[in-house]
Each structure stands twice: as structure tokens, then as C-alpha cells.
């Protein structure tokens, strides 16, 4: 272990108080006392005589033997309690033949609006409800249908009067 030297200029009152604390703690010098109160356990053990180090080890082993033993690694964990399943969200009704229904893209094009606003409002639990748009008027969400040429499902809309 490499040693380093530290020089401190202390007021006499501080040095006197440190000496008293060192003597009260049973240390022969302020240096030994400072090492004892600031050392990590590994450093602290390096400064102790062998018999004191053995006594500390024996005390640590005894404390470990009295502590409750951890669960063995091969013992299975208890399963987590089952979580309640949320009710399934209803699927939007699929529309096969509603000639007057138009897709969201057609609705946006006819009304000069943004189709993402219509799609964001649409959901399976809103089928049959009317959306009142300030410039496009009132439109009823009819459901979803597959396009004739394939692809993802499309939301379909009807004028609110139908």
C-alpha cells in the first residue's frame, strides 16, 4: 500500500479537540483516530493487528449464520396473481354493400377537410354517431369495409340525414 503525506494547519482549539477525541476513542495519536473514523472497512482492516482482524471476521461469519437464509435459486417463484382482463373492444361492423357510404378520403376531398381529423375521431365504439364539423356539416360514421381492390379497412361515412 502506497502512503501519502497530508499536512494541515489547524487552529490550536481544533487540534486540542481532536486529541481529546482520539484519546477518548482509545487511539494513541490523532493520526490513528483520523484513519479509524475515515477509513473504509477494507482500509480499516489493513491497519489492524492480525488478532483483531480475525475477531472481526469471526463476528461477521456469526452474524451471517444468524441471518435468515435467502431463497434457494432452484426454488420456483410464486406466480403473480392473475390480472383481470379488460373487456374486449367491439370491432367495427363491416359493411359490404352501402352504395351511398363514402370513404374518409372521399369525404375529405368533397368537403375540403383533412382526412386525419376524421380518422382520428372514428373508432368502433362511435359507429352510428354523428360528427358535426364546422365547415363540412354533419356526417354519420357507418362502419368499416375493405376496399374492392384489397388493402387495409377503410372508415365509411354517410350524410347525417341518412
Amino acid at each position: 500500500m502506497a502512503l501519502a503525506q497530508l499536512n494541515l494547519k489547524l487552529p490550536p482549539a481544533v487540534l486540542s479537540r481532536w486529541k481529546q477525541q482520539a484519546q477518548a476513542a482509545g487511539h494513541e495519536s490523532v493520526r490513528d483516530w483520523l484513519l479509524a473514523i475515515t477509513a473504509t472497512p477494507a482500509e480499516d482492516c489493513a491497519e489492524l493487528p492480525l488478532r483483531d482482524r480475525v475477531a472481526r471476521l469471526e463476528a461477521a461469519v456469526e452474524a451471517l449464520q444468524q441471518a435468515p437464509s435467502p431463497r434457494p435459486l432452484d426454488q420456483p417463484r410464486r406466480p403473480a396473481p392473475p390480472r383481470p382482463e379488460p373487456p374486449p373492444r367491439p370491432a367495427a361492423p363491416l359493411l359490404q354493400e352501402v352504395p351511398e357510404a363514402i370513404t374518409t378520403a372521399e369525404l375529405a376531398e368533397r368537403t375540403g377537410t383533412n382526412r386525419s381529423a376524421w380518422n382520428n375521431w372514428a373508432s368502433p365504439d362511435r359507429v352510428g354517431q354523428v360528427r358535426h364539423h364546422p365547415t363540412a356539416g354533419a356526417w354519420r360514421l357507418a362502419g368499416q369495409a375493405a376496399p374492392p381492390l384489397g388493402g387495409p379497412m377503410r372508415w365509411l361515412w354517410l350524410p347525417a340525414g341518412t
Side-chain angles (χ1 to χ4, degrees), residues 3-96:
L3 297 177
Q5 183 172 340
L6 176 66
N7 292 320
L8 296 173
K9 290 187 177 183
L10 302 171
V14 172
L15 182 58
S16 173
R17 188 171 61 242
W18 282 10
K19 284 180 180 179
Q20 290 173 356
Q21 289 174 334
Q23 288 175 349
H27 294 282
E28 295 179 15
S29 67
V30 171
R31 176 194 173 276
D32 292 344
W33 174 71
L34 285 174
L35 286 173
I37 64 169
T38 61
T40 62
E43 293 168 338
D44 192 24
C45 288
E47 296 291 322
L48 292 175
L50 182 58
R51 65 178 153 68
D52 291 341
R53 291 170 63 188
V54 170
R56 281 191 179 190
L57 284 173
E58 288 173 344
V61 167
E62 186 177 333
L64 285 174
Q65 289 172 342
Q66 292 175 356
S69 60
R71 177 182 57 85
L73 294 178
D74 59 345
Q75 185 180 14
R77 292 179 180 248
R78 286 187 302 204
R83 292 184 184 168
E85 292 283 329
R89 190 171 183 176
L94 300 179
L95 302 175
Q96 297 301 326

Side-chain angles (χ1 to χ4, degrees), residues 56-129:
R56 281 191 179 190
L57 284 173
E58 288 173 344
V61 167
E62 186 177 333
L64 285 174
Q65 289 172 342
Q66 292 175 356
S69 60
R71 177 182 57 85
L73 294 178
D74 59 345
Q75 185 180 14
R77 292 179 180 248
R78 286 187 302 204
R83 292 184 184 168
E85 292 283 329
R89 190 171 183 176
L94 300 179
L95 302 175
Q96 297 301 326
E97 295 181 29
V98 181
E100 62 272 14
I102 60 173
T103 65
T104 304
E106 293 169 319
L107 174 61
E109 187 177 308
R110 281 189 193 178
T111 59
T113 57
N114 184 339
R115 69 176 154 189
S116 66
W118 295 98
N119 280 331
N120 289 340
W121 184 85
S123 69
D125 54 335
R126 287 193 167 152
V127 171
Q129 293 183 13

Side-chain angles (χ1 to χ4, degrees), residues 129-153:
Q129 293 183 13
V130 175
R131 178 165 188 224
H132 299 278
H133 191 275
T135 60
W139 289 85
R140 181 176 312 282
L141 181 61
Q144 282 186 314
L149 299 176
M153 302 292 279

